[in-house]
Amino acid sequence: MEGLGALPQPNARPKAVILFGPPGSGKGTQAKLLEKCLHTPNISTGDMLREHIEADDDLGREVRAVMQAGLLVPDDLVNRLVENRSEKDDAANGFILDGYPRTLQQAAALGKMLEARGWTPVVIHLKVDYNEIVTRLAGGRRQCPLCGTLYNLSTNPPKVDLICDLDGTGLVARPDDSGDVIRKRLEEYESQTRPLLDFFKRSGYPYHEVDGSKGAPLAIAGEICSLVAGNS
Ligand code: AMP
Protein backbone atom coordinates (compact mmCIF):
# COMPACT_ATOMS: atom_id res chain seq x y z
CA MET A 1 0.00 0.00 0.00
CA GLU A 2 1.23 3.49 -0.85
CA GLY A 3 2.94 5.17 2.10
CA LEU A 4 3.59 1.89 3.91
CA GLY A 5 7.06 0.97 2.75
CA ALA A 6 8.52 -1.38 5.36
CA LEU A 7 8.31 -5.08 4.62
CA PRO A 8 9.19 -8.00 6.87
CA GLN A 9 12.69 -9.45 6.37
CA PRO A 10 12.44 -12.59 4.19
CA ASN A 11 14.19 -14.83 6.74
CA ALA A 12 12.80 -13.26 9.89
CA ARG A 13 11.08 -15.43 12.51
CA PRO A 14 7.27 -15.06 12.43
CA LYS A 15 6.08 -12.25 14.64
CA ALA A 16 3.05 -11.68 16.78
CA VAL A 17 2.49 -7.94 16.75
CA ILE A 18 0.58 -7.03 19.91
CA LEU A 19 -1.30 -3.76 19.41
CA PHE A 20 -1.74 -2.46 22.91
CA GLY A 21 -3.74 0.54 24.08
CA PRO A 22 -7.06 1.65 25.58
CA PRO A 23 -10.38 1.49 23.73
CA GLY A 24 -10.38 4.24 21.11
CA SER A 25 -6.60 4.41 20.73
CA GLY A 26 -6.84 3.31 17.10
CA LYS A 27 -5.85 -0.36 17.42
CA GLY A 28 -8.56 -1.53 15.02
CA THR A 29 -7.72 1.05 12.35
CA GLN A 30 -4.00 0.35 12.66
CA ALA A 31 -4.47 -3.43 12.59
CA LYS A 32 -6.32 -3.17 9.28
CA LEU A 33 -3.62 -0.93 7.74
CA LEU A 34 -0.79 -3.07 9.08
CA GLU A 35 -2.15 -6.20 7.40
CA LYS A 36 -1.21 -4.55 4.11
CA CYS A 37 2.42 -3.83 4.97
CA LEU A 38 3.21 -6.81 7.19
CA HIS A 39 1.33 -9.31 5.00
CA THR A 40 0.01 -11.12 8.05
CA PRO A 41 -3.62 -11.31 9.17
CA ASN A 42 -5.24 -9.22 11.83
CA ILE A 43 -6.75 -11.22 14.68
CA SER A 44 -9.29 -8.98 16.39
CA THR A 45 -11.02 -10.63 19.34
CA GLY A 46 -13.65 -7.86 19.39
CA ASP A 47 -14.50 -8.41 15.70
CA MET A 48 -14.64 -12.18 16.15
CA LEU A 49 -16.95 -11.86 19.14
CA ARG A 50 -19.19 -9.39 17.27
CA GLU A 51 -19.42 -11.89 14.38
CA HIS A 52 -20.69 -14.54 16.80
CA ILE A 53 -23.24 -12.08 18.19
CA GLU A 54 -24.34 -11.22 14.65
CA ALA A 55 -24.70 -14.93 13.82
CA ASP A 56 -26.68 -15.37 17.06
CA ASP A 57 -24.91 -18.67 17.74
CA ASP A 58 -24.26 -20.22 21.19
CA LEU A 59 -21.04 -18.29 21.74
CA GLY A 60 -22.66 -15.05 20.58
CA ARG A 61 -25.56 -15.51 23.00
CA GLU A 62 -23.09 -16.27 25.81
CA VAL A 63 -21.10 -13.05 25.37
CA ARG A 64 -23.71 -10.54 24.17
CA ALA A 65 -24.78 -9.16 27.56
CA VAL A 66 -21.23 -9.01 28.90
CA MET A 67 -20.01 -7.06 25.87
CA GLN A 68 -22.98 -4.72 25.93
CA ALA A 69 -22.15 -3.93 29.55
CA GLY A 70 -18.57 -3.02 28.59
CA LEU A 71 -17.07 -5.89 30.61
CA LEU A 72 -14.46 -8.39 29.52
CA VAL A 73 -15.58 -11.84 28.39
CA PRO A 74 -13.99 -14.91 30.09
CA ASP A 75 -10.30 -15.53 29.44
CA ASP A 76 -10.68 -19.20 28.42
CA LEU A 77 -13.18 -18.25 25.75
CA VAL A 78 -10.97 -15.61 24.05
CA ASN A 79 -7.83 -17.72 24.49
CA ARG A 80 -9.56 -20.51 22.57
CA LEU A 81 -10.75 -18.12 19.84
CA VAL A 82 -7.23 -16.76 19.30
CA GLU A 83 -5.57 -20.17 19.42
CA ASN A 84 -7.98 -21.59 16.82
CA ARG A 85 -7.70 -18.56 14.55
CA SER A 86 -3.90 -18.51 14.77
CA GLU A 87 -3.71 -22.09 13.53
CA LYS A 88 -5.20 -21.18 10.14
CA ASP A 89 -2.82 -21.31 7.16
CA ASP A 90 -2.80 -17.56 6.55
CA ALA A 91 -1.31 -17.00 10.01
CA ALA A 92 1.68 -19.29 9.46
CA ASN A 93 4.02 -16.31 8.99
CA GLY A 94 2.76 -14.32 11.95
CA PHE A 95 -0.23 -12.23 12.91
CA ILE A 96 -1.36 -8.91 14.32
CA LEU A 97 -3.31 -8.96 17.58
CA ASP A 98 -5.92 -6.25 18.07
CA GLY A 99 -7.50 -6.27 21.54
CA TYR A 100 -5.68 -9.35 22.85
CA PRO A 101 -4.25 -10.02 25.37
CA ARG A 102 -6.30 -7.95 27.80
CA THR A 103 -5.62 -9.71 31.11
CA LEU A 104 -2.58 -11.29 32.76
CA GLN A 105 -4.12 -14.73 32.27
CA GLN A 106 -4.49 -14.07 28.52
CA ALA A 107 -0.92 -12.73 28.31
CA ALA A 108 0.38 -15.88 29.99
CA ALA A 109 -1.58 -18.09 27.56
CA LEU A 110 -0.28 -16.13 24.58
CA GLY A 111 3.28 -16.26 25.95
CA LYS A 112 3.12 -20.07 26.12
CA MET A 113 1.69 -20.30 22.63
CA LEU A 114 4.42 -18.10 21.13
CA GLU A 115 7.17 -19.89 23.01
CA ALA A 116 5.95 -23.27 21.74
CA ARG A 117 6.13 -21.95 18.20
CA GLY A 118 9.42 -20.11 18.65
CA TRP A 119 7.79 -16.87 17.57
CA THR A 120 8.78 -13.35 18.50
CA PRO A 121 6.26 -11.01 20.13
CA VAL A 122 6.52 -7.28 19.45
CA VAL A 123 4.47 -4.88 21.57
CA ILE A 124 3.26 -1.62 20.04
CA HIS A 125 1.77 0.65 22.68
CA LEU A 126 -0.55 3.22 21.07
CA LYS A 127 -0.57 6.14 23.46
CA VAL A 128 -3.47 8.58 23.30
CA ASP A 129 -4.48 11.21 25.84
CA TYR A 130 -7.48 10.19 28.02
CA ASN A 131 -9.66 13.18 27.02
CA GLU A 132 -8.99 12.52 23.35
CA ILE A 133 -10.10 8.93 23.84
CA VAL A 134 -13.39 9.89 25.43
CA THR A 135 -14.01 12.36 22.58
CA ARG A 136 -13.25 9.70 19.98
CA LEU A 137 -15.45 7.02 21.55
CA ALA A 138 -18.40 9.25 22.36
CA GLY A 139 -18.12 11.51 19.34
CA GLY A 140 -18.91 9.81 16.13
CA ARG A 141 -17.04 6.54 15.82
CA ARG A 142 -18.68 4.43 13.08
CA GLN A 143 -17.90 1.01 11.63
CA CYS A 144 -18.76 -0.83 8.43
CA PRO A 145 -20.69 -3.93 9.51
CA LEU A 146 -19.50 -5.77 6.39
CA CYS A 147 -15.72 -5.22 6.20
CA GLY A 148 -15.08 -3.77 9.66
CA THR A 149 -13.41 -0.55 8.46
CA LEU A 150 -13.53 2.14 11.14
CA TYR A 151 -14.35 5.81 10.61
CA ASN A 152 -14.72 8.84 12.79
CA LEU A 153 -17.28 11.35 11.60
CA SER A 154 -15.16 14.32 12.67
CA THR A 155 -11.54 13.17 12.28
CA ASN A 156 -11.69 10.40 9.64
CA PRO A 157 -15.06 10.61 7.82
CA PRO A 158 -16.11 8.42 4.86
CA LYS A 159 -16.19 10.08 1.41
CA VAL A 160 -19.99 9.80 1.28
CA ASP A 161 -21.88 10.50 4.50
CA LEU A 162 -22.34 7.31 6.59
CA ILE A 163 -21.36 5.00 3.70
CA CYS A 164 -18.30 2.72 3.69
CA ASP A 165 -15.69 3.85 1.12
CA LEU A 166 -14.73 0.27 0.37
CA ASP A 167 -18.02 -1.54 -0.19
CA GLY A 168 -20.84 1.02 -0.02
CA THR A 169 -22.43 -0.49 3.09
CA GLY A 170 -24.21 1.85 5.56
CA LEU A 171 -22.04 2.55 8.61
CA VAL A 172 -23.25 1.75 12.13
CA ALA A 173 -22.35 2.94 15.62
CA ARG A 174 -21.16 0.28 18.05
CA PRO A 175 -23.73 -0.28 20.81
CA ASP A 176 -20.93 -0.17 23.41
CA ASP A 177 -19.78 3.31 22.26
CA SER A 178 -22.15 5.14 24.56
CA GLY A 179 -22.30 6.78 28.00
CA ASP A 180 -21.82 4.48 30.94
CA VAL A 181 -20.57 1.63 28.79
CA ILE A 182 -17.62 3.72 27.59
CA ARG A 183 -16.78 4.48 31.22
CA LYS A 184 -16.97 0.77 32.10
CA ARG A 185 -14.70 -0.21 29.20
CA LEU A 186 -12.12 2.36 30.27
CA GLU A 187 -12.31 1.08 33.87
CA GLU A 188 -11.75 -2.48 32.63
CA TYR A 189 -8.73 -1.25 30.71
CA GLU A 190 -7.25 0.50 33.75
CA SER A 191 -7.82 -2.36 36.17
CA GLN A 192 -7.20 -5.45 34.02
CA THR A 193 -5.29 -4.46 30.89
CA ARG A 194 -2.90 -1.64 31.75
CA PRO A 195 -1.07 -3.89 34.28
CA LEU A 196 0.10 -5.95 31.28
CA LEU A 197 2.68 -3.26 30.54
CA ASP A 198 4.68 -4.53 33.52
CA PHE A 199 4.24 -8.10 32.35
CA PHE A 200 5.59 -7.22 28.89
CA LYS A 201 8.57 -5.40 30.38
CA ARG A 202 9.36 -8.27 32.78
CA SER A 203 9.12 -10.75 29.92
CA GLY A 204 11.61 -8.71 27.89
CA TYR A 205 9.31 -8.42 24.88
CA PRO A 206 10.44 -5.83 22.31
CA TYR A 207 8.34 -2.80 23.20
CA HIS A 208 7.67 0.45 21.32
CA GLU A 209 5.55 3.45 22.20
CA VAL A 210 3.79 5.21 19.35
CA ASP A 211 1.92 8.51 19.61
CA GLY A 212 -1.54 7.52 18.41
CA SER A 213 -3.05 10.99 18.74
CA LYS A 214 -1.04 12.88 16.14
CA GLY A 215 -0.82 12.30 12.43
CA ALA A 216 -2.94 10.54 9.84
CA PRO A 217 -3.65 6.83 10.42
CA LEU A 218 -1.52 5.94 7.37
CA ALA A 219 1.51 7.82 8.75
CA ILE A 220 1.14 6.09 12.13
CA ALA A 221 0.91 2.70 10.37
CA GLY A 222 4.09 3.49 8.42
CA GLU A 223 5.91 4.22 11.68
CA ILE A 224 4.69 0.97 13.25
CA CYS A 225 5.65 -1.04 10.17
CA SER A 226 9.21 0.28 10.31
CA LEU A 227 9.46 -0.49 14.03
CA VAL A 228 8.22 -4.06 13.52
CA ALA A 229 10.53 -4.65 10.55
CA GLY A 230 13.41 -3.42 12.73
CA ASN A 231 12.74 -6.18 15.31
CA SER A 232 13.88 -9.07 13.11
P1 AMP B 1 -12.94 -4.24 21.14
O1 AMP B 1 -13.60 -4.33 19.81
O2 AMP B 1 -11.53 -4.75 21.13
O3 AMP B 1 -13.07 -2.86 21.75
O4 AMP B 1 -13.74 -5.24 22.10
C1 AMP B 1 -15.12 -5.06 22.35
C2 AMP B 1 -15.54 -5.91 23.54
O5 AMP B 1 -15.28 -7.29 23.25
C3 AMP B 1 -14.79 -5.65 24.83
O6 AMP B 1 -15.35 -4.54 25.54
C4 AMP B 1 -14.99 -6.97 25.55
O7 AMP B 1 -16.32 -7.09 26.05
C5 AMP B 1 -14.85 -7.97 24.43
N1 AMP B 1 -13.44 -8.37 24.21
C6 AMP B 1 -12.69 -8.15 23.11
N2 AMP B 1 -11.46 -8.65 23.25
C7 AMP B 1 -11.42 -9.20 24.50
C8 AMP B 1 -10.42 -9.87 25.24
N3 AMP B 1 -9.18 -10.06 24.76
N4 AMP B 1 -10.74 -10.31 26.48
C9 AMP B 1 -11.96 -10.13 26.99
N5 AMP B 1 -12.96 -9.50 26.35
C10 AMP B 1 -12.70 -9.03 25.10
Side-chain angles (χ1 to χ4, degrees), residues 177-189:
D177 272 354
S178 68
D180 284 352
V181 185
I182 293 176
R183 202 165 316 118
K184 199 28 104 187
R185 287 163 62 209
L186 290 170
E187 278 170 24
E188 291 281 80
Y189 172 77

Side-chain angles (χ1 to χ4, degrees), residues 144-170:
C144 172
L146 193 62
C147 71
T149 301
L150 287 155
Y151 299 86
N152 187 292
L153 300 185
S154 47
T155 55
N156 178 32
K159 292 188 184 111
V160 178
D161 205 21
L162 295 176
I163 299 292
C164 179
D165 292 349
L166 304 185
D167 53 39
T169 307

